[in-house]
Amino acid sequence: NLPGWEKDPETGKLKPIRGEMVVLEEKAKEVESLQDRFNRFRKEKLKSLQLQRNQERKVSDSRADPARMAELRITFVEQLKKYYGVPYAKRYHQPDSPRYHAPLFLDCCGLVRRVLRDLKLEFGFEVGPWNQAYMFDTLPNRYETPEQMEPGDLIFAEGKYYKEGAKPQPGDIVHVEIFLGGGPLGKKVCGSRWGRGAVQEFDTFE
């Protein structure tokens, strides 16, 4: 006996079972549908990869252009200034304080991460969710003297936490700010320094 076939009682010949044929046709349609979906997924994936490569190529070309890099620094600093006045963290304020009900809170690394994510298309990458120690480890260039810095550069502070229960940071990198330059000492920075404070400018990073 062949699956899906039966013997005709009148002619004695084999004929397909009607119900089985319907099942076979439905399965054929299902296979075809899966194939169509796979082809569509493949085309969309290839298109996405091509767009990604084009974006990476544009970013690579822009990094080779000093004028473009200078423009990107300016864009970064201008975006940073939009967050002036944003408080450090909610837990440092009382419920009757205006800062307690702020729609956004940014600590030192949260500020840098927020601005970089705002400009992920311009920079060509999206920064991870980790803190200032991660940022320090991923930066390709490091300067030995303040005279080498330009607006938009990141400044990191090294130290140790002595508060009981405080978690030590990798490399003892405990803080990050953004160099602006200018000011009375030529060392002006922007950052979010302490719990009861907010994003603001400081005359020096020292």
Side-chain angles (χ1 to χ4, degrees):
N1 294 332
L2 296 176
W5 296 79
E6 64 179 356
K7 193 172 184 179
D8 189 317
E10 296 182 0
T11 64
K13 296 181 180 179
L14 292 176
K15 67 176 183 178
I17 301 174
R18 182 182 295 265
E20 291 292 333
M21 285 298 292
V22 172
V23 172
L24 290 173
E25 289 176 0
E26 290 178 350
K27 288 184 177 180
K29 291 179 180 178
E30 181 181 355
V31 170
E32 183 180 0
S33 177
L34 288 172
Q35 185 65 40
D36 289 343
R37 286 200 293 269
F38 172 77
N39 289 336
R40 183 168 60 254
F41 167 80
R42 185 171 180 273
K43 288 180 181 179
E44 292 175 354
K45 185 66 175 178
L46 291 174
K47 183 178 179 181
S48 176
L49 289 173
Q50 186 61 46
L51 290 174
Q52 182 179 344
R53 292 192 191 99
N54 290 341
Q55 180 64 25
E56 290 174 351
R57 191 178 300 110
K58 289 180 181 178
V59 171
S60 178
D61 293 343
S62 69
R63 287 176 179 168
D65 182 1
R68 171 57 181 152
M69 292 301 294
E71 179 183 342
L72 190 56
R73 284 179 177 275
I74 295 173
T75 302
F76 178 74
V77 172
E78 291 304 313
Q79 184 67 20
L80 169 72
K81 292 180 178 180
K82 295 179 181 181
Y83 294 103
Y84 281 13
V86 174
Y88 184 95
K90 184 173 186 175
R91 65 181 179 275
Y92 295 105
H93 303 283
Q94 298 299 320
D96 59 349
S97 167
R99 286 184 174 177
Y100 182 86
H101 301 284
L104 178 66
F105 297 89
L106 295 170
D107 60 10
C108 68
C109 56
L111 171 63
V112 175
R113 188 165 53 240
R114 180 79 179 211
V115 178
L116 288 175
R117 286 180 174 176
D118 289 346
L119 302 173
K120 64 181 180 181
L121 292 180
E122 288 82 353
F123 277 96
F125 68 88
E126 184 168 359
V127 69
W130 303 283
N131 66 7
Q132 65 278 350
Y134 155 80
M135 296 176 185
F136 181 80
D137 284 340
T138 55
L139 285 176
N141 300 321
R142 299 180 185 180
Y143 302 139
E144 300 298 329
T145 65
E147 290 73 24
Q148 295 175 280
M149 292 189 298
E150 299 180 60
D153 283 335
L154 300 183
I155 298 177
F156 296 89
E158 181 181 353
K160 291 184 181 296
Y161 289 130
Y162 290 98
K163 182 179 178 181
E164 184 178 353
K167 182 180 179 182
Q169 296 297 319
D172 291 329
I173 303 299
V174 296
H175 185 64
V176 61
E177 293 183 346
I178 301 91
F179 182 74
L180 301 177
L185 303 174
K187 300 178 179 180
K188 183 177 288 188
V189 294
C190 172
S192 189
R193 284 190 176 178
W194 51 72
R196 296 185 184 277
V199 178
Q200 66 182 85
E201 291 184 1
F202 301 91
D203 286 337
T204 178
F205 53 83
E206 296 174 332

